[in-house]
Amino acid sequence: MQFYTYWRSLAALRVRIALNLKGVEVEPIVVDLAAGHQARPEYAAINPQMALPALIVDAGPALFQSMAILEYLDETYPMPPLLPNDARGRARVRGLAQIAVADAHPLVVPRVRTYLEREYGLTEHQRTLWARHWMGEALGAIEGHLARDAATGQFCHGDTVTLADICLASQVIGFTFFGGTSSIYPIVTGIFERSMQMDAFARAHPRLQPDAPKATS
Amino acid sequence: MQFYTYWRSLAALRVRIALNLKGVEVEPIVVDLAAGHQARPEYAAINPQMALPALIVDAGPALFQSMAILEYLDETYPMPPLLPNDARGRARVRGLAQIAVADAHPLVVPRVRTYLEREYGLTEHQRTLWARHWMGEALGAIEGHLARDAATGQFCHGDTVTLADICLASQVIGFTFFGGTSSIYPIVTGIFERSMQMDAFARAHPRLQPDAPKATS
């Protein structure tokens, strides 16, 4: 499987965690989002949306959209399961995941930040505040759901990892990219810290990817 | 089941279509988004994210997030199925759905348009152009995927309705709310028109809901 990825992409991060949890090996192919390489014709032929990630499985067009890929991986590599075995539980996990994947992340991707600069002249600082606002709003919404529901455990849904924890981790890490401090969301923070103690989460971290810029002290 | 809805909500529209397709009766409860009633404490107790829709099933917390509710309805009311019976097909349908549900709709909801006005002073016209831009981008991305994949049929995936067609319909209808003309996306338009010939889609249209403003000629 070829996995089109970029170190800073939160959507690629989600898929990377799931691949690690499932023990699935892929061939990573870097698409430099910062340099706009997702708009190159060769990548547009892989994913006409020109967004990351994409996963090529067997022949046939690439799979696209992180949530669709996560569900695909859970269906085709069932162990460990990343969705609960009851319909209500699955709805809750998917709902929590969507707060991050739908209602926050798409507002802060490069194409949107670029548009805010080009069309409205927003400064980099203003764009950072924009991103921090929406990432924080979603974390607050997730915290609110986790706080009020007895189904919350050591992780978002009970005491085992689900797709919701993967999406929560991408959301917390993305929040820090824009200077946010997730400690004001204590349940979210506890789940994030427990998740990052797992190897599958820890080694998926953007900063540890081969294409990430070298850390400066 | 109690269904928290508002005539103009594209997320509520998606769930309404699925309820119609499945023949499921619900008790609609209107939450006036235009008046900000989603922020009232009584609704925040239903959905801490203070977003529509929400669906109360049996006891226990409400289901939330349209995609999670659509998947729940498809699991608990299997006929007619709204996902293909193969994993790759499901991934494609979910991916197409997410282009609309994640990458477009959350950018144009009232809370975002309000923020653009309050923080950056965008006029109503500018906010409309913002919304039209992102709704159009997503329709273009969906068109690109539909055009290049042999799995496209009379509907997004083959010749029967799936979750992708539901999300496509909400996307096209939303685009028109902001003055967009979807005819520049011919495959999308053909699928939308075939969808709207079905009673389940047609009577779900926002303008036909009891809480919609009366049409002016």
Side-chain angles (χ1 to χ4, degrees):
Chain A
M1 290 194 274
Q2 285 85 44
F3 176 50
Y4 289 82
T5 182
Y6 182 61
W7 71 276
R8 204 176 195 276
S9 162
L10 301 179
L13 165 61
R14 292 189 283 271
V15 172
R16 206 158 52 230
I17 296 170
L19 291 167
N20 290 348
L21 285 166
K22 302 283 190 181
V24 179
E25 295 280 336
V26 293
E27 175 195 345
I29 300 173
V30 172
V31 179
D32 188 338
L33 284 188
H37 291 181
Q38 69 277 21
R40 286 180 167 176
E42 56 265 35
Y43 186 67
I46 301 291
N47 182 357
Q49 194 188 3
M50 298 178 277
L52 287 177
L55 185 70
I56 296 189
V57 182
D58 312 323
L63 308 186
F64 53 97
Q65 285 286 335
S66 65
M67 273 304 285
I69 295 173
L70 292 176
E71 296 260 6
Y72 176 85
L73 291 172
D74 200 44
E75 291 179 356
T76 53
Y77 299 91
M79 298 308 292
L82 298 176
L83 284 169
N85 56 21
D86 63 301
R88 171 180 280 277
R90 284 190 292 276
R92 179 167 180 268
V93 165
R94 289 177 173 132
L96 292 169
Q98 287 287 101
I99 293 176
V101 172
D103 286 349
H105 181 206
L107 281 85
V108 309
V109 294
R111 63 180 173 273
V112 173
R113 302 204 310 276
T114 299
Y115 190 90
L116 290 169
E117 178 182 16
R118 192 185 66 220
E119 296 294 321
Y120 313 133
L122 263 60
T123 64
E124 185 176 353
H125 178 65
Q126 287 177 305
R127 301 195 302 273
T128 296
L129 292 180
W130 158 274
R132 196 185 303 165
H133 174 77
W134 296 114
M135 296 297 272
E137 285 284 296
L139 286 174
I142 293 170
E143 180 84 9
H145 275 286
L146 294 173
R148 72 90 173 254
D149 195 321
T152 305
Q154 291 290 301
F155 291 96
C156 287
H157 195 79
D159 295 329
T160 55
V161 165
T162 65
L163 298 185
D165 304 294
I166 293 175
C167 298
L168 180 149
S170 76
Q171 184 69 18
V172 170
I173 289 171
F175 193 46
T176 65
F177 283 169
F178 300 106
T181 307
S182 62
S183 58
I184 59 170
Y185 312 108
I187 306 172
V188 161
T189 300
I191 291 171
F192 175 68
E193 289 177 352
R194 280 186 285 281
S195 299
M196 294 306 287
Q197 285 167 12
M198 300 175 67
D199 174 69
F201 282 76
R203 64 191 166 90
H205 194 287
R207 299 272 178 212
L208 298 182
Q209 302 317 301
D211 58 317
K214 297 291 165 277
T216 52
S217 62
Chain B
M1 291 192 274
Q2 285 86 45
F3 176 51
Y4 290 82
T5 183
Y6 182 61
W7 71 276
R8 205 175 194 275
S9 163
L10 301 179
L13 165 61
R14 292 189 282 272
V15 172
R16 205 157 54 229
I17 295 169
L19 291 167
N20 290 348
L21 286 165
K22 302 284 189 181
V24 179
E25 295 279 337
V26 293
E27 175 195 345
I29 300 173
V30 172
V31 179
D32 189 337
L33 285 188
H37 291 181
Q38 70 276 23
R40 285 181 168 175
E42 56 265 36
Y43 185 68
I46 302 291
N47 181 358
Q49 196 188 1
M50 297 178 276
L52 287 176
L55 185 70
I56 296 189
V57 182
D58 311 324
L63 307 187
F64 53 97
Q65 286 286 335
S66 66
M67 274 303 286
I69 295 173
L70 291 176
E71 296 260 5
Y72 176 86
L73 291 172
D74 199 43
E75 291 178 357
T76 53
Y77 299 90
M79 297 307 295
L82 298 177
L83 284 170
N85 56 21
D86 63 302
R88 172 180 279 277
R90 285 191 291 276
R92 179 168 179 267
V93 165
R94 288 177 173 133
L96 292 169
Q98 287 287 102
I99 293 176
V101 171
D103 286 349
H105 181 206
L107 279 85
V108 309
V109 293
R111 62 179 173 273
V112 174
R113 302 203 311 276
T114 300
Y115 190 89
L116 290 169
E117 178 182 16
R118 193 184 66 218
E119 298 293 322
Y120 313 132
L122 264 61
T123 64
E124 185 174 354
H125 179 65
Q126 287 176 305
R127 300 194 303 272
T128 297
L129 291 181
W130 158 275
R132 196 186 302 165
H133 173 78
W134 295 114
M135 297 297 271
E137 286 285 296
L139 287 173
I142 293 171
E143 180 84 10
H145 275 286
L146 295 173
R148 71 93 171 251
D149 196 322
T152 305
Q154 291 291 301
F155 291 96
C156 287
H157 195 80
D159 296 329
T160 55
V161 165
T162 65
L163 297 185
D165 304 295
I166 293 174
C167 297
L168 181 149
S170 77
Q171 185 68 16
V172 171
I173 290 172
F175 193 46
T176 65
F177 283 169
F178 299 107
T181 306
S182 62
S183 58
I184 60 169
Y185 312 108
I187 306 173
V188 161
T189 300
I191 290 171
F192 175 68
E193 289 177 352
R194 280 185 284 281
S195 299
M196 294 306 288
Q197 286 167 12
M198 300 175 68
D199 175 68
F201 281 77
R203 63 191 166 89
H205 195 287
R207 300 273 178 213
L208 298 182
Q209 303 316 301
D211 56 318
K214 296 291 165 276
T216 52
S217 63

